[in-house]
Amino acid sequence: MKIAFFSTKPYDKIWFEPMGKEYGFEIRFFEMSFQEETISLARGFDAICIFVNDYVNARMIDQLHEMKVRAILLRSAGFNHVDVQAAEGKLCILRVPSYSPEAVAEFAIGMILTVNRFTHKAYNRTREFNMSLNGLMGVDLYQKTAGIIGTGKIGQAMIRICRGFGMHVVAYDPYPNKELSVEYVSLEKLMTQADLISLHCPLTSETKHIVNRATIDHMKQGVYLVNTSRGALIDTDALIDGLVAGKFGGVGLDVYEEEEGIFYEDKSGEIMQDENLARLMTFPNVLITSHMGFFTKEAMQAIAKVTLENAYAFENGLPLKNRVSAQQAG
Ligand code: NAD
């Protein structure tokens, strides 16, 4: 099987290269992202392997189909960047539904601890022997209420962590998990009750801008918000207005609405054209990271393993348990 691997970073090769050889796959690693301008590179390959900031729209599906590419291997759980409906009957889409939910949940709580206790500022201060504590006061998480939106694999890991901190946990999910002993509440109630809101739902037409002007209005004064799911769950303009109005105790963003083409790239030598991103960087209580919640050794290894197992199953006509269906894409 010939696989064109896009958006390659050095760390991708650590596991994909040796594991791909074991399967006998021919993997060609391209540094370029997968987009309309680079689609021609896929010619001659059986499958493409792409990451979260690559995209495949309906027109590109037709082009891939015409090139006889048969599968899209997503090395991610989320699949909002691919037109799954358009691929029905043309290309098989396979994903990695779970690799390390704990990696993302641990990162989410780390972001909250950072913005709450200002360790990012303390790190810089103490390196200059500025031992002043002015401006670094946080709040206890103990006995506060955590509101978890989406109680899938990562949401559940986050619930366990928040309980470890002695927090009361409420959750919202339109498909409540009956096995889970957590108090499900309406979205509105969660927004009004929670001291910490953590987003763990996928990006769909229903969840786009689930955090918007109205929901921010409902939130408690001084609320902490963390988004490790997908950027467009938050209406960035509304978030900025909320930050300016002093609504938030702190905000952690591992994902950003317009991250494509910016996240995972070194833009330090360029003028930042994205004004909202530049504005967000100016708030002392906002921490932005480059979509790295997943980035642990365990998760990277699991991503390579499952992606290549998916490819092997596809090639050999085995059951495709990680196939993304148009129904799932809603
Ligand atoms: P999952 O499929 O196990 O869980 C998602 C949950 O969201 C499900 O319980 C589902 O019922 C719920 N949901 C669906 N629609 C909803 C809605 N309208 N409101 C609230 N909840 C809703 O997924 P997961 O593995 O827990 O991952 C969650 C998200 O995390 C993924 O969709 C992905 O976007 C993101 N993610 C980010 C990183 C990162 O590095 N930052 C890594 C992996 C996944």
Side-chain angles (χ1 to χ4, degrees):
M1 189 177 196
K2 289 178 76 176
I3 303 171
F5 193 104
F6 287 88
S7 296
T8 308
K9 301 290 179 200
Y11 46 79
D12 287 313
K13 289 187 177 178
I14 299 172
W15 284 284
F16 271 101
E17 220 164 32
M19 283 189 200
K21 277 191 189 132
E22 276 174 36
Y23 275 106
F25 295 148
E26 194 182 315
I27 306 181
R28 176 89 186 270
F29 292 94
F30 295 106
E31 281 180 25
M32 280 81 84
S33 60
F34 189 74
Q35 46 180 286
E36 275 165 290
E37 291 75 20
T38 57
I39 192 168
S40 59
L41 291 169
R43 194 172 289 283
F45 289 89
D46 302 299
I48 59 166
C49 182
I50 62 171
F51 198 44
V52 291
N53 288 334
D54 298 311
Y55 66 88
V56 191
N57 59 29
R59 198 172 42 216
M60 293 160 82
I61 294 278
D62 286 338
Q63 284 175 272
L64 287 171
H65 186 53
E66 178 270 318
M67 289 180 198
K68 300 199 169 34
V69 174
R70 293 177 290 132
I72 300 177
L73 306 169
L74 305 179
R75 43 186 205 277
S76 63
F79 46 84
N80 56 285
H81 50 309
V82 177
D83 192 330
V84 179
Q85 248 88 20
E88 270 305 268
K90 292 179 183 157
L91 275 101
C92 178
I93 302 171
L94 296 148
R95 68 175 181 135
V96 185
S98 175
Y99 28 95
S100 173
E102 286 74 19
V104 183
E106 287 170 12
F107 193 79
I109 200 75
M111 293 193 93
I112 287 302
L113 292 175
T114 304
V115 287
N116 173 22
R117 303 301 298 272
F118 299 103
T119 38
H120 56 312
K121 294 187 134 225
Y123 174 82
N124 287 327
R125 275 194 197 180
T126 55
R127 289 175 81 81
E128 291 187 357
F129 297 103
N130 173 357
M131 301 302 188
S132 158
L133 299 185
N134 292 335
L136 304 187
M137 198 188 307
V139 297
D140 284 6
L141 294 181
Y142 179 63
Q143 291 193 337
K144 296 284 179 357
T145 298
I148 308 299
I149 299 183
T151 56
K153 292 171 286 294
I154 299 172
Q156 287 174 42
M158 190 64 175
I159 291 171
R160 286 194 292 274
I161 292 173
C162 290
R163 287 199 172 131
F165 276 89
M167 300 185 82
H168 171 61
V169 180
V170 294
Y172 168 73
D173 194 312
Y175 312 99
N177 181 344
K178 292 188 179 67
E179 320 254 289
L180 208 62
S181 69
V182 68
E183 184 188 342
Y184 280 103
V185 296
S186 67
L187 186 61
E188 195 178 328
K189 207 165 174 192
L190 182 147
M191 294 289 182
T192 53
Q193 287 186 345
D195 301 289
L196 155 61
I197 296 173
S198 196
L199 304 177
H200 300 292
C201 54
L203 175 62
T204 63
S205 49
E206 275 165 37
T207 60
K208 184 170 183 203
H209 291 181
I210 198 166
V211 173
N212 53 46
R213 264 170 227 288
T215 48
I216 291 173
D217 270 355
H218 284 128
M219 291 178 194
K220 276 185 173 177
Q221 181 61 32
V223 65
Y224 287 80
L225 173 68
V226 63
N227 186 9
T228 54
S229 278
R230 284 293 179 271
L233 295 178
I234 299 180
D235 175 346
T236 310
D237 290 323
L239 177 69
I240 290 173
D241 289 346
L243 282 158
V244 171
K247 181 88 183 187
F248 294 95
V251 175
L253 302 175
D254 185 43
V255 286
Y256 170 62
E257 235 182 328
E258 305 294 337
E259 69 179 51
E260 191 194 310
I262 302 175
F263 281 23
Y264 301 130
E265 305 304 328
D266 179 358
K267 297 279 175 189
S268 58
E270 296 174 28
I271 308 288
M272 179 43 63
Q273 301 295 329
D274 186 318
E275 291 187 7
N276 273 349
L277 185 58
R279 182 70 176 107
L280 283 169
M281 295 290 181
T282 67
F283 296 100
N285 57 345
V286 174
L287 175 66
I288 297 175
T289 51
S290 187
H291 203 145
M292 60 179 288
F294 70 97
F295 201 44
T296 65
K297 287 180 183 171
E298 291 83 354
M300 291 299 287
Q301 189 168 10
I303 288 171
K305 183 172 175 287
V306 177
T307 304
L308 295 173
E309 278 170 3
N310 286 343
Y312 182 82
F314 175 76
E315 189 64 355
N316 291 285
L318 302 174
L320 298 174
K321 61 179 195 291
N322 297 326
R323 185 176 194 151
V324 184
S325 66
Q327 202 185 6
Q328 273 172 298

